[in-house]
Amino acid sequence: MSDTPTNYKGPQRVLSGMQPTGRLHLGNYLGALKNWVELQKDASRECFYCVVDMHAITMPHDPATLPDAVRSAAAAYIAAGVDPEKSAIFAQSAVPAHAEMAWILNCVARLGWLERMTQFKDKAGKDKERASVGLFTYPVLQAADILVYKATQVPVGEDQKQHLELCRDIAARFNRDFGKGEAVFPLTEPLIQGPGARIMSLRDGTSKMSKSDVSDNSRINLEDDADMIARKIKKAKTDPEPLPATVEELEGRAEASNLVGIYAALSGQTKADVLAEFGGQGFGAFKPALADVAVQYLAPISDEYRRLISDKAEIDRMLTKGAERARAVAQPVVDETKKTVGFWG
Ligand code: TRP
């Protein structure tokens, strides 16, 4: 068996995606979208940001609401600052090359690799015999999303690290088996947001802020207005102690640590900076300050989101344009890949 070639020479490209599972929230913004916006500033890298509706059907879903969920996610991307002129924003299912690529990569990935994926175990739950086969091969479709653009960088949250490693394994295996000494696919680098950007539930500092949490008070949605944001922060769970002066002393105080982390991320400071200002003060003083920062930062985003979502035709035009751009890059890659594996035509 020949060695794995590592001489990838293609252009730098960025790809990422989110599921269209209802409303996006502060955790999505600080953990991902903010970084997507930063990445598009460098014009030397083309950016592709998709809404992964093909991944969404790996779990039971409602066909009637899926298209609006896609629009809603796309609107949130734009409201957060992703520029549809600079970056391609599109629905995954509008670019058939993802599915074609996924089939080929399904035949490159090994069963044993997929059996180690922890997200499948979490999502499938106890009765994994009843999980869809799509849920099992979900990470291969994710690798296809990435490799069909030969994306070199993928900004994701910490929880996607394992899927990105799998993507590299698949790319390396393909290069070794079919590359004839050339690295056809890049070994994609994950851009993982730091632990500071891991935003937890406002009701429980040990679980991630999530759109599936039954309590709406657990999260700040990108569409919440100023009053709602302030109310949720006021209600956020805390402990009775005042804020400490050092980051080390936040250890074991999950809720306090989370609120300080949110303040830091929103205001572009470190947790230490925030504690230098608020150490010794109680939550009665800190929460209104946090609410101010959150409202100041998020109000323009939520205003823009509400404006966009009220004009479906505009979002659809933008998604159509984004899909055309994406297809122009993805189709030649999948055509080349089909030829490489010996497909007819
Ligand atoms: N699995 C990712 C998540 O749950 C979403 C996703 C699908 C993705 N395809 C992708 C992320 C490609 C980055 C690149 O967050």
Side-chain angles (χ1 to χ4, degrees):
M1 200 65 82
S2 60
D3 284 344
T4 301
T6 52
N7 55 345
Y8 184 74
K9 293 188 226 61
Q12 297 289 303
R13 290 196 187 121
V14 172
L15 175 128
S16 198
M18 275 187 206
Q19 285 213 32
T21 39
R23 315 191 271 187
L24 297 191
H25 52 71
L26 185 67
N28 301 122
Y29 177 68
L30 292 175
L33 289 175
K34 199 162 170 258
N35 213 25
W36 296 12
V37 175
E38 282 305 308
L39 286 163
Q40 74 176 358
K41 288 185 183 155
D42 179 348
S44 69
R45 288 181 293 228
E46 215 177 339
C47 297
F48 298 86
Y49 297 126
C50 59
V51 182
V52 293
D53 53 350
M54 290 161 67
H55 281 109
I57 71 164
T58 59
M59 297 286 275
H61 80 288
D62 178 3
T65 56
L66 190 55
D68 271 344
V70 170
R71 290 185 183 104
S72 165
Y77 293 3
I78 300 172
V82 179
D83 179 350
E85 294 297 319
K86 287 192 183 140
S87 304
I89 301 173
F90 59 98
Q92 181 190 31
S93 65
V95 184
H98 289 242
E100 287 187 87
M101 190 64 142
W103 178 255
I104 296 172
L105 299 185
N106 267 324
C107 301
V108 174
R110 306 289 98 184
L111 197 62
W113 302 353
L114 286 183
E115 273 167 350
R116 287 197 286 273
M117 295 293 117
T118 56
Q119 186 169 302
F120 172 76
K121 290 179 199 159
D122 292 346
K123 285 199 177 176
K126 282 201 185 76
D127 196 2
K128 72 176 165 58
E129 296 298 308
R130 286 184 176 278
S132 75
V133 176
L135 186 67
F136 187 66
T137 64
Y138 176 120
V140 181
L141 177 59
Q142 181 164 350
D145 297 339
I146 297 166
L147 297 179
V148 84
Y149 299 92
K150 299 193 175 185
T152 49
Q153 283 130 345
V154 173
V156 277
E158 179 79 31
D159 63 335
Q160 294 299 308
K161 214 170 156 179
Q162 199 186 31
H163 287 167
L164 265 290
E165 275 160 21
L166 182 86
C167 179
R168 292 164 69 90
D169 288 343
I170 291 174
R173 179 71 180 244
F174 189 99
N175 291 345
R176 192 192 75 183
D177 289 355
F178 304 111
K180 300 202 184 79
E182 289 296 316
V184 183
F185 292 112
L187 300 184
T188 309
E189 180 198 345
L191 302 176
I192 309 270
Q193 274 75 51
R198 198 170 145 81
I199 305 301
M200 312 306 279
S201 157
L202 297 180
R203 307 296 303 161
D204 170 8
T206 62
S207 70
K208 214 175 128 174
M209 187 176 284
S210 160
K211 42 201 157 198
S212 50
D213 195 314
V214 287
S215 165
D216 194 56
N217 284 328
S218 70
R219 64 186 158 259
I220 294 174
N221 303 303
L222 286 187
E223 76 226 58
D224 287 346
D225 63 18
D227 285 350
M228 181 75 98
I229 293 171
R231 193 142 37 95
K232 285 179 176 174
I233 289 176
K234 201 167 164 199
K235 281 197 179 145
K237 189 175 167 198
T238 50
D239 55 41
E241 303 297 319
L243 284 173
T246 65
V247 177
E248 292 71 51
E249 293 167 272
L250 284 173
E251 189 71 35
R253 297 179 64 186
E255 283 79 20
S257 177
N258 186 38
L259 295 184
V260 171
I262 292 174
Y263 191 105
L266 284 170
S267 62
Q269 293 174 286
T270 63
K271 282 184 171 182
D273 295 334
V274 179
L275 292 177
E277 189 179 342
F278 291 98
Q281 298 193 35
F283 287 98
F286 181 64
K287 277 183 168 180
L290 175 60
D292 281 352
V293 174
V295 167
Q296 185 196 343
Y297 212 87
L298 295 174
I301 296 177
S302 64
D303 288 351
E304 178 65 358
Y305 172 82
R306 279 193 299 268
R307 189 190 69 75
L308 286 163
I309 206 71
S310 68
D311 189 354
K312 272 192 195 182
E314 173 62 26
I315 298 179
D316 291 359
R317 266 195 300 280
M318 197 267 329
L319 283 170
T320 302
K321 233 181 82 193
E324 277 164 17
R325 262 172 84 174
R327 276 198 293 268
V329 174
Q331 198 57 48
V333 174
V334 85
D335 288 345
E336 173 200 325
T337 310
K338 285 162 75 175
K339 237 168 107 181
T340 302
V341 300
F343 277 0
W344 190 258

